[in-house]
Each structure stands twice: as C-alpha cells, then as structure tokens.
Amino acid sequence: MQLQTFNQLDDQDAHAILNHCVTIESWINALIKARPYTTKQDLLQQAEQYATNWQWQEIKQALDQHPKIGEQKAKTELSEQAQRYSNREQANIQLTPTQQKQLQLDNLTYQQKFGFIFLIKAFGLSQQEVFQQLQQRLTHNLNTEKQIVHQQLQGIALLRLDQEIQE
C-alpha cells in the first residue's frame, strides 16, 4: 500500500492494516492519530518510538495471539495477511520431523519457564540459528527475557510495517 493511501484511510481501515503488524492497541491508535506521515521513514520512526513505550501486559496479549516459531501454519485466528507475514518470516526454517519435535519440546520448556511463547524475529534466520537462540535464551532470567521479547516483537512489527507500506 502506498503511504499516501495509508494516510487517507479511515481509522477503521488503518487499524486493520496496523493490526496485521502487531496487535497492540496503544501502538495502533498512536500511529493512526499521528497521520499524515510525510515519508515512510517518518512513519517507521514514529512506529519505533511508540513501540518503545509498550507495557508488558500489552506485549503479553500480543504474544497470546502470535504463532509459535516452527509452526507450519499460523493460528487460524490470524488474518490472511498476518498468516502470510508469519509464513514469510519463517520461510528459512525447514525442519525434519525430528527437529520439529525437538523445537516443540524446547518451545514447551521455554513456555513453562517464562509463562509465554518463545518469540524471535525469524526473518532470514536458519533453523540452526533459531535453535541456538532458543537454547541461549533458556538460560536467561525473566526480566532479561521480557526485554528481549519486547525487542523481538518490536522488530517483527516494524518489519511488517516496512513491508506493508510503500513510499
């Protein structure tokens, strides 16, 4: 979608576009209110700035709607656009049945330890890199992991926004 078109959308349609990037209402509403944007870079900078203010409860709610890494298909509740984003972001992760089972077990271990899903900006990463990150992050404490998850979710949202809006 062209930036000019995004700027002219009614709030409901703009909300739907931004909701594909991340389901955090405060972020979506702030970006809608700040329109019009003069450049795509301006939009991305605002989006990044607003994302730094996300509260953990908002992040946790977004995680609850996010597919787990390695899932072959995104959750059925996701929009078609969000499913396409998820599939594209995980395109380099081609798992054997043994690797798929190990990833499921590691995801479960992570979720039991921290209380939320393992989230990683997987775009461009191989399955080996994802496995390494998962193992490393299992050694973190809760506060460290919350900070990393915030950064990862922010990166995913900005990537999706960047892919969605054209100059």
Side-chain angles (χ1 to χ4, degrees):
M1 167 179 299
Q2 295 296 316
L3 178 63
Q4 182 179 2
T5 303
F6 175 74
N7 281 332
Q8 295 172 353
L9 290 175
D10 65 39
D11 288 357
Q12 184 177 0
D13 289 339
H15 186 283
I17 296 296
L18 295 170
N19 197 54
H20 297 311
C21 300
V22 68
T23 56
I24 295 185
E25 290 297 317
S26 65
W27 184 79
I28 293 169
N29 293 332
L31 286 172
I32 290 171
K33 287 180 186 175
R35 291 182 302 163
Y37 297 96
T38 55
T39 66
K40 180 178 176 180
Q41 188 59 33
D42 181 37
L43 169 61
L44 293 173
Q45 286 174 343
Q46 285 289 88
E48 184 175 8
Q49 179 182 4
Y50 294 143
T52 62
N53 297 322
W54 289 343
Q55 301 299 307
W56 178 250
Q57 190 56 38
E58 296 174 301
I59 294 168
K60 177 70 167 76
Q61 288 173 349
L63 290 177
D64 291 344
Q65 298 177 40
H66 209 282
K68 292 178 183 174
I69 190 76
E71 282 185 342
Q72 293 304 312
K73 293 199 176 227
K75 291 181 180 180
T76 57
E77 305 91 53
L78 293 178
S79 68
E80 287 183 33
Q81 181 62 38
Q83 288 178 23
R84 282 193 294 273
Y85 283 139
S86 180
N87 291 338
R88 188 176 354 174
E89 290 158 6
Q90 296 186 41
N92 288 350
I93 302 172
Q94 305 297 322
L95 302 172
T96 65
T98 302
Q99 290 171 323
Q100 182 70 35
K101 184 171 182 143
Q102 185 61 51
L103 186 56
Q104 288 172 343
L105 291 172
D106 290 349
N107 272 328
L108 182 59
T109 301
Y110 179 97
Q111 194 163 4
Q112 288 172 340
K113 178 175 181 175
F114 295 113
F116 46 86
I117 67 165
F118 172 71
L119 184 78
I120 188 167
K121 182 180 165 197
F123 186 76
L125 298 180
S126 69
Q127 65 267 15
Q128 182 180 7
E129 292 168 311
V130 170
F131 275 109
Q132 288 171 345
Q133 285 294 313
L134 179 51
Q135 292 305 312
Q136 179 185 7
R137 287 174 54 188
L138 277 167
T139 68
H140 294 159
N141 64 42
L142 180 60
N143 288 333
T144 299
E145 197 53 29
K146 283 181 176 181
Q147 291 172 359
I148 292 171
V149 167
H150 185 155
Q151 293 166 351
Q152 295 294 311
L153 187 60
Q154 179 177 337
I156 292 167
L158 294 174
L159 174 66
R160 290 177 177 186
L161 183 60
D162 184 43
Q163 292 172 343
E164 183 69 35
I165 304 296
Q166 306 307 312
E167 196 64 59

